[in-house]
Amino acid sequence: MARRALVTGGAGFIGSHVVDALLADGFDVELLDDLSSGRRENIPDGTTLHELDVASPEAARVIRDGAFDVICHLAAQIDVRKSVLDPMRDATINILGTINIAEAVKSSGRATRVVMASTGGALYGDFVTPPNDEEFPKDPESPYGIAKLSAEYYLAYYGRLHGVESAVVRFANVYGPRQDPHGEAGVVAIFCNRILGDESMTVFGDGLQTRDYVFVKDVARATVAAATRPLPPPARLDARAFNIGTGVETTVLELADALQDAAGRQVGITHAPARPGEQARSAVLIDKAREVLGWSPVASLHDGLAETYAWFAARRATTAAGGPV
């Protein structure tokens, strides 16, 4: 009998790639997504969609009754700026949604492993010098980072007191096909659309702020590894947390140059005023993921950007020809 998996946020950017990776690994896959940001076009044939809010009683019922071996929890409010404007909504989705899942798994009585997507950028803040390992002090500077850290604490609690098996994958800055060009996390998507429109790319401040850019298909492989590999005992918060990135800092200016090279087109850069509170540097160490999960990124920045740009170019061409957006 095939293993069963549920992916919350499975119609979204990262979640849909996790669905693809689980299917390739032989899982029967169901999706739970309210489609507030996920897209029906990302849902592959042969999967079941539960169009539900992750914090709802109906979502809990799906989990309790679904006999899932694995739940990959990617449903989230991911925009730092939106979390600042509306911390209540951010906490409802990112904290209460996670508690809803953990409570449902506890009630089901099944040995279901929960793998939660967290953040490797917003979690550590600017008070430590990157690259950060999992044990670094955590001092998030946004409601989003605080909510993700709180959700990690809750999963650690459910593991110690209720035997709910879980792992946390702390993503660096993920990019790739299907990325939403709207919102803070979509800088590569935004730049792709600017290049395709023959418009200059807007860089805030001096462009020397750094991020750790990791390709979405590598992230999906890491999530499946966390769902299937043996895990260390749930002794403390960071025991089952894994940074997922490349360990390489890339400035926004370097990213813009690399993407133009991958696209084979030059559109230039326009500078805008720096955004207050923006993190200056971010990168994560990935030694633990290599050792415990047997995972390493395989896509170079150039190859990942080239594949991403090609996807956006094909999507724009389809839209121009009257096909679905």
Side-chain angles (χ1 to χ4, degrees), residues 192 195-196 257-266 302 305-306 309-310:
C192 283
I195 294 171
L196 286 165
D257 287 342
L259 185 53
Q260 289 178 105
D261 288 344
R265 299 177 66 179
Q266 299 292 317
H302 180 276
L305 291 176
Y309 180 80

Side-chain angles (χ1 to χ4, degrees), residues 74-273:
L74 290 101
Q77 191 300 111
I78 62 168
D79 193 312
V80 170
R81 288 170 293 177
K82 287 182 180 179
S83 80
V84 173
L85 294 172
D86 193 353
M88 184 71 75
R89 181 175 182 274
D90 183 86
T92 299
I93 298 170
N94 292 343
I95 300 177
L96 298 187
T98 303
I99 295 172
N100 196 40
I101 291 171
E103 277 289 316
V105 170
K106 183 186 79 169
S107 299
S108 75
R110 283 187 60 87
T112 301
R113 181 180 294 185
V114 179
V115 179
M116 187 189 84
S118 188
T119 170
L123 205 69
Y124 301 106
D126 260 335
F127 297 103
V128 291
T129 301
N132 308 323
D133 71 26
E134 291 82 358
E135 305 287 342
F136 270 39
K138 292 142 193 79
D139 198 352
E141 299 180 52
S142 66
Y144 167 71
I146 293 167
K148 281 296 188 180
L149 181 57
S150 298
E152 289 196 27
Y153 273 113
Y154 271 106
L155 285 182
Y157 153 78
Y158 276 95
R160 289 192 297 266
L161 270 70
H162 302 296
V164 175
E165 186 174 62
S166 66
V168 171
V169 277
R170 295 175 180 161
F171 298 152
N173 282 64
V174 187
Y175 72 95
R178 306 177 195 160
Q179 187 171 23
D180 186 350
H182 307 289
E184 179 191 308
V187 61
V188 171
I190 292 168
F191 282 180
C192 283
N193 281 342
R194 300 290 289 185
I195 294 171
L196 286 165
D198 200 29
E199 301 172 286
S200 66
M201 295 172 285
T202 300
V203 171
F204 295 94
D206 59 13
L208 298 180
Q209 57 270 43
T210 67
R211 297 293 183 266
D212 183 341
Y213 295 100
V214 59
F215 192 51
V216 68
K217 292 181 181 180
D218 284 333
V219 164
R221 287 191 304 103
T223 305
V224 173
T228 55
R229 298 278 295 222
L231 296 174
R236 63 191 190 286
L237 175 70
D238 297 320
R240 291 182 170 182
F242 302 93
N243 287 335
I244 305 300
T246 66
V248 177
E249 290 185 74
T250 300
T251 70
V252 177
L253 293 178
E254 289 170 339
L255 177 72
D257 287 342
L259 185 53
Q260 289 178 105
D261 288 344
R265 299 177 66 179
Q266 299 292 317
V267 296
I269 292 168
T270 299
H271 284 269

